[in-house]
């Protein structure tokens, strides 16, 4: 049974970089699937941030432009999110998830981690 | 940034059938499949329906999905108190080259 768990600071100052890690158990992330990050805020609802494929390719939401980076540590079975130059608008619950991406636009996130609250404030 | 539109709230009484709608465009629902996620209070989102109408193992058949043109619907029959949750639709968007979510519908069981 695949399980995911997010971890990282719950409070980040404006203009600094948000860094979160997703620890995966029950499945080697190097064995397949995409792995992604989403977030949910009261103002914007659910938003896709980005994801990576075990083979090395990454997909990012253009809305986040050059602020986002997703990296992977297969030795620890973890992947990480870095979001730079944060503002109060980046305050949200951040979720990692296993992401199945197929042809013809078919894709789904399953399962999700429990989520971690990140607040951007000085 | 939501590119899929959902009614913010819906309600029903136990045993009733309720329908939640999701409206998109030709670049998302119109050309790709739709997923539905259920988020219970204090929990992570859970995949409820995928590929328009398929249910993952363990999801009761009280939940059903459908799609027509640029819109999709989630139907819940035999409403139960434990169905009180937020429901989100999602679909791949060809312009974004990634998935987009609806704003969510908060379902209240009266």
């Amino acid at each position: 049974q695949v399980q995911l768990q997010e971890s990282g600071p719950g409070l980040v100052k404006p203009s600094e970089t948000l860094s979160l890690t997703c620890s995966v158990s029950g499945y080697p992330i190097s064995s397949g699937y995409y792995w992604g990050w989403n977030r949910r805020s009261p103002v914007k609802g659910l938003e896709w941030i980005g994801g990576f494929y075990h083979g090395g390719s990454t997909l990012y939401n253009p809305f986040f432009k050059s602020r986002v980076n997703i990296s992977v540590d297969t030795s620890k079975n973890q992947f990480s999110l870095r979001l730079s130059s944060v503002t109060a608008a980046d305050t949200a619950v951040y979720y990692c998830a296993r992401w199945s991406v197929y042809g013809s636009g078919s894709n789904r996130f399953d399962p999700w981690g429990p989520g971690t609250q990140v607040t951007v404030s000085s | 940034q939501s590119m899929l539109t959902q009614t913010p709230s819906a309600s029903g009484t136990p045993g009733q059938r309720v329908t939640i709608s999701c409206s998109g465009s030709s670049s998302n629902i119109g050309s790709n499949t739709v997923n539905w996620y259920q988020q219970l209070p204090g929990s992570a989102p859970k995949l409820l329906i995928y590929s328009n109408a398929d249910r993952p193992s363990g999801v009761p058949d009280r939940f059903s999905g459908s799609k027509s043109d640029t819109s999709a619907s989630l139907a819940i029959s035999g409403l139960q108190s434990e169905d009180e949750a937020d429901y989100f639709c999602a679909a791949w968007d060809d312009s974004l080259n990634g998935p987009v979510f609806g704003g969510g519908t908060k379902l209240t069981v009266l």
Side-chain angles (χ1 to χ4, degrees), chain B residues 10 20 22 28 49 51 65 73-74 79 89 102:
Chain B
I20 296 171
C22 175
N28 41 66
I49 297 287
S51 297
S73 295
L74 171 71
L79 196 63
C89 57

Side-chain angles (χ1 to χ4, degrees), chain B residues 23-93:
Chain B
S23 177
S25 67
S26 58
S27 66
N28 41 66
I29 295 178
S31 52
N32 299 300
T33 59
V34 177
N35 303 324
W36 289 90
Y37 298 91
Q38 176 194 57
Q39 187 167 24
L40 296 169
S43 297
K46 168 192 164 186
L47 180 66
L48 193 66
I49 297 287
Y50 66 96
S51 297
N52 302 328
D54 292 335
R55 286 184 304 276
S57 173
V59 174
D61 59 7
R62 302 187 296 106
F63 295 91
S64 61
S66 62
K67 186 186 99 165
S68 178
D69 295 328
T70 59
S71 295
S73 295
L74 171 71
I76 309 172
S77 60
L79 196 63
Q80 300 179 3
S81 58
E82 58 258 40
D83 298 334
E84 190 160 283
D86 293 328
Y87 292 86
F88 295 89
C89 57
W92 188 271
D93 188 272

Side-chain angles (χ1 to χ4, degrees), chain A residues 32-85:
Chain A
Y33 291 97
Y34 275 80
W35 302 84
W37 288 96
N38 300 311
R39 71 182 188 181
R40 181 180 180 185
S41 66
V43 175
K44 298 182 181 178
L46 271 175
E47 292 180 282
W48 167 66
I49 300 172
F52 75 95
Y53 183 63
H54 75 94
S57 63
T58 54
L59 286 172
Y60 294 131
N61 186 332
F63 174 79
F64 295 97
K65 298 180 181 179
S66 59
R67 295 200 298 137
V68 64
N69 179 263
I70 295 174
S71 60
V72 58
D73 186 339
T74 55
S75 66
K76 295 181 179 179
N77 217 37
Q78 296 175 337
F79 59 102
S80 298
L81 169 72
R82 287 175 60 85
L83 185 65
S84 63
S85 305

